[in-house]
């Protein structure tokens, strides 16, 4: 990352980052975001994350970016996983076990079917 | 979070229930369904709303129209007119009465459906906390850039003063005023300290910010440093918060690489570096002077004040100590202006408040709502109501500065002034919601046991007072206390409050005093009748 020396620098970096993100979204790339606050990890977010990464690797599924985020406040519904495919609206899943995590990749991301039972209405 | 267009509340105090509140509720349920409005309208039984002249009463938000007395046969008309057609059913309205006391909040809330409003948590759970790029995409570091590039330090302080921001660490001290004190003290060296000790039982709001949005604290500290004339900052993080510490270390490294921390920030010649100091598990180290001692490498014992840290703080230098949540409010205030901030919350307490919700409710977790929302709303709307089959008895607002809130204060707006007028305090933002199976003696004993263990022992009122109070609470729980002991408890609470050296002792007696004020009969039952009304305490009847 370059050093920021002025507000203009900051604005430029922000624009570039935004553009990068839009290009990714436009290419239909899927984003899976696992909430990894202390509460999420305690509830099993690492296991969910591992299940997702393993499946992507073993089945060699392209076009998925897996990242983490903090707690959103719904500690009781952890582990929480958010999925956004391309420019479609974001879907939030709660109480994601490794099994559900694998289903999210297979059914939601690959086949495009939202797993309604586990969605948290936001 | 599910949002609804309207919220319908039905009073259910004993008088309302006698007059058919249950039937009205059921009728409302079926009429709302009949009009197909289930998804748009929420319906709740809400206990005593503090007015009994026209019960049962039905209150409909967001217009805050009060209907009453409502009979089951009125309900069809009411739903059709108000909820379906959207006009007030004037003939069913309760007699107009001077709004006072507990239901005054209804008029204050007119036209606004209480909504969760995220200011300090706006990025938590949204961005990747390990990515500075995502922070920047979400407007990160632009407030710092604006401050350094376009504002004088005194202007920044004026903006913070004007915003009305008050400390979220418990005491509610005006933040801008504190910044002004530090800025006004002449010294070559000054420090900014972020209090991230968060050791109040049940509070984890700061952790959520630190873990989910660490850069926001770094940015706010740099802004504070520029404003008060400091070039160095410390974040004192609770020892158990290992993940928060990890994320902060990572964030500091990134911010230094990109030049948001370090030397010549934004090319303006301003230097600021931040260190992380890990706590080691003592509650007292959240108290700002004990915290300062701890950073200096000494045992965490509070100092005598005055002098205050604003003039004699870390290593004797002027030091600004602010809570995590307080600091997290600063960048948005700079970004959107103090006027915008004033539109949130109440005149005496602008902005939002982050609460951690625990206890006998359906949804626990962390919420951020405008100041001035009521406990009833928090429970009904954000906590999803009390657990099935349980009803509200009290709430504990958390930690040494907190209070026990009885049902009669459920409709008091939760802001610094309204709570202090009611003789209670918001505390650290923890809300422990207890149902009627909670024994107040047991609760009081658990709380005072915490203070007894965490008292640092430096001053005798606190050291002895907490121990003695604990012993009395224990004897009440065992059925061995005498009625005179209750007066002793009050005397102890008063003397701890008056002569303790720091906030720990000064407020340690508060929960017990509240319990004796609001639940005295229940406490006395333990003593007079050797009975614990909730069946929690095991009292062996003396032979
Ligand atoms: C026993 C005790 C414990 C405290 N613990 C904390 C704490 O964990 N976090 C915090 O921010 N303030 C805590 N405080 C309050 C601090 O002393 C101080 O008032 C606060 O950090 C000031 O920040 P603010 O003005 O931003 O609220 C505690 C006070 C006492 C007396």
């Amino acid at each position: 990352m370059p050093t920021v020396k002025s507000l203009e620098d900051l604005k430029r970096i922000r624009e570039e980052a935004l553009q990068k993100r839009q290009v990714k979204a436009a290419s239909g790339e899927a984003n899976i975001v696992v909430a990894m606050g202390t509460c999420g990890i305690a509830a099993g977010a690492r296991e969910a994350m591992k299940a997702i990464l393993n499946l992507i690797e073993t089945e060699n599924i392209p076009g998925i970016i897996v990242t983490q985020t903090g707690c959103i406040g719904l500690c009781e519904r952890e582990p929480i996983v958010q999925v956004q495919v391309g420019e479609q609206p974001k879907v939030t899943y709660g109480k994601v076990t490794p099994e559900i995590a694998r289903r999210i990749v297979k059914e939601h991301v690959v086949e495009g079917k939202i797993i309604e039972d586990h969605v948290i209405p936001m | 979070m599910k949002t609804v267009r309207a919220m319908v509340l039905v009073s259910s105090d004993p008088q309302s229930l006698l007059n058919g509140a249950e039937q009205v509720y059921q009728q409302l349920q079926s009429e709302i369904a009949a009009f197909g409005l289930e998804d748009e309208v929420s319906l709740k039984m809400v206990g005593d709303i503090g007015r009994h002249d026209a019960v049962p009463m039905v209150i409909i938000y967001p217009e805050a129209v009060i209907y009453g007395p409502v009979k089951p046969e009125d309900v069809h008309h009411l739903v059709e007119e108000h909820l379906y057609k959207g006009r007030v059913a004037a003939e069913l309205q309760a007699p107009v009465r001077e709004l006072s006391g507990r239901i005054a909040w209804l008029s204050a809330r007119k036209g606004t459906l209480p909504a969760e409003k995220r200011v300090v948590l706006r990025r938590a759970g949204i961005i990747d906390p390990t990515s500075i790029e995502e922070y920047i995409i979400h407007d990160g570091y632009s407030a710092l850039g604006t401050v350094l590039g376009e504002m004088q330090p005194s202007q920044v302080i004026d903006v913070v003063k004007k915003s009305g921001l008050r400390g979220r660490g418990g005491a509610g001290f005006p933040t801008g005023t504190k910044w002004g004190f530090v800025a006004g003290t002449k010294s070559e060296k000054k420090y900014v300290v972020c209090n991230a000790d968060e050791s109040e039982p049940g509070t984890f709001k700061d952790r959520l910010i630190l873990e989910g949005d660490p850069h926001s604290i770094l940015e706010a500290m740099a802004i504070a440093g520029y404003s008060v004339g400091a070039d160095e900052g410390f974040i004192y993080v609770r020892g158990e918060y290992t993940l928060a510490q990890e994320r902060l270390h990572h964030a500091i490294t990134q911010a230094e690489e990109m030049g948001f921390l370090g030397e010549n920030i934004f090319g303006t010649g301003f230097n600021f570096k931040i260190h992380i100091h890990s706590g080691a598990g003592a509650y007292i180290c959240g108290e700002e002077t004990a915290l300062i001692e701890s950073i200096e490498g000494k045992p965490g014992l509070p100092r005598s004040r005055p002098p205050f840290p604003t003039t004699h703080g870390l290593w004797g230098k002027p030091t600004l100590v602010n809570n995590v949540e307080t600091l997290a409010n600063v960048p948005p205030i700079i970004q959107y202006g103090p006027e915008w901030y004033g539109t949130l919350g109440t005149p005496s307490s602008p902005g939002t408040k982050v609460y951690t919700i625990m206890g006998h409710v359906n949804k626990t977790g962390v919420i951020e709502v405008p100041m001035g929302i009521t406990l009833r709303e928090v429970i009904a709307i954000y906590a999803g109501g009390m657990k099935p089959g349980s009803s509200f008895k009290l709430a504990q607002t958390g930690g040494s500065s907190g209070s026990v809130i009885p049902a009669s204060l459920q409709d008091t707006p939760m802001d610094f002034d309204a709570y202090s007028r009611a003789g209670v305090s918001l505390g650290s933002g923890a809300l422990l919601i207890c149902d009627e199976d909670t024994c107040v003696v047991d609760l009081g004993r658990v709380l005072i046991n915490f203070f007894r263990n965490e008292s640092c022992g430096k001053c005798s009122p606190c050291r002895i007072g907490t121990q003695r109070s604990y012993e009395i609470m224990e004897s009440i729980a065992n059925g061995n206390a005498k009625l005179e002991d209750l007066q002793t408890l009050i005397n102890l609470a008063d003397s701890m409050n008056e002569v303790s050296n720091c906030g720990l002792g000064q407020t340690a007696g508060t929960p017990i005093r509240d319990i004796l004020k609001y639940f005295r009969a229940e406490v006395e039952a333990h003593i007079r009748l050797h009975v614990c009304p909730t069946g929690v305490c095991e009292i062996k009847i003396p032979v």
Side-chain angles (χ1 to χ4, degrees):
Chain A
M1 281 270 172
T3 334
V4 174
K5 281 282 158 236
S6 66
L7 260 180
E8 282 63 49
D9 281 358
L10 180 66
K11 284 197 186 115
R12 207 191 53 244
I13 291 175
R14 181 166 178 273
E15 287 307 316
E16 285 168 8
L18 263 175
Q19 259 168 18
K20 233 178 8 187
R21 198 162 76 166
Q22 272 152 7
V23 170
K24 275 185 198 164
S27 73
E29 208 161 66
N31 250 309
I32 301 183
V33 183
V34 184
M36 298 274 258
T38 295
C39 52
I41 293 171
R46 280 203 205 290
E47 288 72 22
M49 173 79 107
K50 265 192 225 141
I52 294 169
L53 293 176
N54 277 341
L55 187 71
I56 293 176
E57 207 181 287
T58 49
E59 314 238 322
N60 212 350
I61 309 171
I64 303 181
I65 299 174
V66 183
T67 52
Q68 58 171 340
T69 186
C71 164
I72 199 166
L74 298 166
C75 310
E76 198 161 282
R77 309 278 190 96
E78 296 283 356
I80 289 176
V81 172
Q82 303 168 18
V83 180
Q84 185 165 26
V85 181
E87 282 155 331
Q88 293 167 21
K90 196 189 282 178
V91 178
T92 306
Y93 292 100
K95 302 215 170 179
V96 178
T97 59
E99 185 46 43
I100 300 171
R102 281 185 286 269
R103 283 184 57 197
I104 290 174
V105 178
K106 275 196 197 139
E107 295 173 32
H108 185 157
V109 180
V110 179
E111 297 165 18
K113 284 187 304 219
I114 295 173
I115 311 168
E116 299 289 350
D117 298 356
H118 298 281
V119 172
I120 306 178
M122 298 292 274
Chain B
M1 208 124 312
K2 188 176 156 194
T3 43
V4 290
R5 162 171 78 80
M7 183 166 71
V8 182
L9 309 179
V10 184
S11 66
S12 68
D13 54 291
Q15 191 64 37
S16 295
L17 290 171
L18 267 180
N19 293 1
E22 287 277 3
Q23 290 85 327
V24 169
Y25 178 85
Q26 280 156 13
Q27 198 64 31
L28 276 165
Q29 214 166 18
S30 55
E31 288 293 341
I32 288 173
F35 281 98
L37 302 171
E38 309 98 305
D39 290 340
E40 302 166 32
V41 176
S42 75
L43 175 65
K44 296 244 152 60
M45 285 282 238
V46 289
D48 191 335
I49 65 157
R51 182 175 163 183
H52 306 119
D53 60 323
V55 289
M57 291 203 278
V58 172
I59 306 161
I60 302 185
Y61 281 112
E63 300 87 356
V65 180
I66 308 176
Y67 295 104
V70 177
K71 294 188 280 308
E73 54 270 29
D74 299 331
V75 169
H76 175 79
H77 181 63
L78 184 68
V79 172
E80 175 167 22
E81 284 299 304
H82 194 131
L83 295 172
Y84 189 69
K85 295 185 180 160
R87 45 188 193 215
V88 174
E91 62 289 359
L92 292 175
Q93 268 184 286
V96 180
R97 216 179 60 167
E98 193 60 45
L99 282 180
S100 66
R102 274 190 265 160
I103 55 171
W105 63 276
L106 287 175
S107 68
R109 189 70 90 248
K110 219 174 151 109
T112 55
L113 199 61
E116 201 179 355
K117 181 87 196 172
R118 293 201 159 189
V119 176
V120 309
L121 300 183
R122 67 195 185 286
R123 297 189 201 93
I126 308 285
I127 64 163
D128 180 350
T130 59
S131 158
I132 193 169
E133 197 168 298
E134 288 209 13
Y135 183 70
I136 293 172
I137 289 181
H138 288 81
D139 294 331
Y141 289 113
S142 66
L144 178 61
T146 308
V147 162
L148 294 184
E150 297 165 10
M151 295 169 84
Q152 292 300 315
S154 63
Q155 287 176 303
V156 187
I157 294 178
D158 284 343
V159 166
V160 177
K161 277 188 185 157
K162 211 162 144 213
S163 75
L165 173 64
R166 294 171 66 167
R168 305 292 197 245
F173 192 83
T175 305
T177 309
K178 199 192 274 186
W179 288 27
F181 288 156
V182 181
T185 309
K186 279 213 173 62
S187 173
E188 296 269 293
K189 184 80 192 174
K190 296 180 191 177
Y191 295 100
V192 172
V193 172
C194 170
N195 189 342
D197 191 51
E198 191 159 65
S199 38
E200 300 281 8
T203 315
F204 48 94
K205 63 180 178 73
D206 294 345
R207 190 190 75 206
L208 199 128
I209 300 170
L210 298 169
E211 286 178 2
D213 195 10
H215 282 285
S216 67
I217 299 303
L218 308 185
E219 181 176 3
M221 285 178 74
I223 294 173
Y226 173 73
S227 310
V228 304
D231 64 356
E232 204 167 350
F234 284 83
I235 309 179
Y236 190 95
V237 193
R238 180 182 173 135
E240 291 90 335
Y241 285 5
T242 46
L243 184 63
Q245 294 185 10
E246 224 174 83
R247 299 240 164 106
L248 282 169
H249 276 295
H250 187 76
I252 290 175
T253 311
Q254 287 179 329
E256 282 172 349
E257 274 168 20
M258 290 192 67
F260 298 122
L261 290 176
E263 315 244 301
N264 194 19
I265 300 169
F266 274 98
T268 60
F270 171 65
N271 307 329
F272 196 74
K273 58 180 171 223
I274 296 181
H275 313 273
I276 295 173
H277 192 103
S278 173
Y283 169 63
I284 190 62
C285 287
E287 195 283 331
E288 56 189 17
T289 60
L291 183 153
I292 287 171
E293 290 276 304
S294 173
I295 295 180
E296 291 181 2
K298 303 184 198 133
L301 303 178
R303 295 176 177 172
S304 302
R305 277 142 299 154
F308 291 94
T310 45
T311 55
H312 296 74
L314 194 54
W315 290 295
K317 304 296 178 205
T319 303
L320 173 72
V321 184
N322 271 137
N323 168 260
V324 172
E325 186 188 343
T326 313
L327 287 168
N329 274 288
V330 170
I333 288 174
I334 303 287
Q335 202 176 349
Y336 304 114
E339 291 78 18
W340 160 81
Y341 197 71
T343 63
L344 306 167
T346 60
S348 79
S349 314
T352 61
K353 181 78 195 77
V354 183
Y355 295 105
T356 47
I357 304 179
M358 297 154 295
H360 302 127
V361 289
N362 287 319
K363 285 193 247 162
T364 57
V366 180
I367 58 165
E368 178 177 352
V369 289
M371 282 275 191
I373 222 159
T374 67
L375 190 55
R376 187 189 305 288
E377 291 168 323
V378 166
I379 296 172
I381 304 169
Y382 306 106
M386 298 296 293
K387 283 226 151 82
S390 71
S391 62
F392 178 85
K393 178 169 184 174
L394 60 88
Q396 219 274 320
T397 54
S400 72
S401 45
S403 295
V404 171
I405 316 288
S408 59
L409 295 178
Q410 267 192 98
D411 294 317
T412 306
M414 297 171 78
D415 72 17
F416 292 114
D417 283 9
Y419 258 42
S420 103
R421 269 200 305 278
V424 288
S425 110
L426 281 179
S428 56
L431 289 174
L432 173 66
I433 316 284
C434 301
D435 70 6
E436 68 287 75
D437 289 337
T438 309
C439 170
V440 292
V441 171
D442 186 51
L443 178 72
R445 180 176 56 164
V446 169
L447 292 171
I448 194 70
N449 187 37
F450 174 78
F451 295 126
R452 175 180 76 120
N453 288 327
E454 296 294 340
S455 171
C456 74
K458 182 178 178 185
C459 73
S460 41
C462 172
R463 182 180 68 239
I464 299 169
T466 52
Q467 173 65 23
R468 193 63 201 111
S469 303
Y470 173 76
E471 287 164 8
I472 297 178
M473 290 309 288
E474 177 95 334
S475 70
I476 298 174
N478 294 333
N480 295 326
K482 295 189 288 296
L483 276 179
E484 304 89 88
D485 291 340
L486 300 186
Q487 189 53 48
T488 311
L489 275 176
I490 293 176
N491 294 347
L492 283 168
D494 288 344
S495 18
M496 281 195 284
N497 179 259
E498 279 157 25
V499 291
S500 292
N501 182 31
C502 86
L504 196 160
Q506 283 160 15
T507 52
T510 308
I512 292 182
R513 210 174 2 196
D514 290 347
I515 285 168
L516 288 174
K517 182 163 159 199
Y518 300 117
F519 299 97
R520 188 163 184 121
E522 190 182 329
V523 180
E524 288 194 3
H526 288 72
I527 302 173
R528 289 178 190 269
L529 311 171
H530 300 286
V531 166
C532 172
T534 56
V536 173
C537 304
E538 279 180 36
I539 300 181
K540 294 184 190 67
I541 297 170
V543 266

